[in-house]
Amino acid sequence: MVNVDSWWDVLVRGRFQAVLELVLAAIADDPVTIEIILKIINEWDPGCDAESWPARSVVPVSRPEVIKALRELTREDYAQACNFAGQEIHRVDFRDREVAEVWFSATRKGINAVRQLQGSE
């Protein structure tokens, strides 16, 4: 018999995994801000639903959830926080209080993960 605690853990862990997947996919093509990430995730093409992409079942996703996902993705080197100086991108440390001032992009490891999630590889 499943107890309430294990059910809750699975539910929360499953939601966070889906948010990680959505955030990683949102940053895979181009550097984007947190506002753009939220828009990409929450204002997605209605033709792409949870049946075609199960991670979509957790939408809408909140700003704190995206920040938590970005923190984890940068910590695990699937994503990077960066600033622009002219045409150059400079990697910076992830800081919660500065999340609105930086851009996020997928690293090579992150791009490979997105390809695997989408079945491209």
Side-chain angles (χ1 to χ4, degrees):
M1 180 174 169
V2 176
N3 67 33
V4 173
D5 291 335
S6 66
W7 169 80
W8 180 255
D9 288 345
V10 169
L11 181 64
V12 171
R13 197 172 16 253
R15 179 173 178 82
F16 186 57
Q17 289 171 341
V19 172
L20 286 169
E21 185 177 325
L22 292 170
V23 170
L24 188 56
I27 65 174
D29 294 328
D30 295 305
V32 292
T33 64
I34 189 164
E35 298 307 325
I36 295 170
I37 295 167
L38 284 162
K39 185 173 182 158
I40 289 169
I41 292 171
N42 292 321
E43 297 177 19
W44 191 271
D45 176 5
C48 185
D49 57 15
E51 290 175 12
S52 62
W53 188 8
R56 296 287 306 145
S57 67
V58 301
V59 172
V61 176
S62 70
R63 183 183 183 94
E65 288 177 303
V66 170
I67 292 170
K68 181 179 177 184
L70 287 168
R71 183 183 316 112
E72 181 67 14
L73 290 167
T74 55
R75 185 177 71 80
E76 294 296 329
D77 196 37
Y78 286 93
Q80 63 183 357
C82 52
N83 283 325
F84 289 95
Q87 296 291 333
E88 294 183 32
I89 298 174
H90 297 280
R91 193 171 188 162
V92 296
D93 291 334
F94 178 89
R95 293 187 175 93
D96 286 12
R97 67 183 178 280
E98 297 171 0
V99 74
E101 299 155 15
V102 297
W103 294 69
F104 295 92
S105 64
T107 61
R108 173 72 50 210
K109 182 178 176 181
I111 291 168
N112 289 337
V114 169
R115 287 182 184 143
Q116 288 179 349
L117 288 168
Q118 295 174 345
S120 305
E121 204 172 12

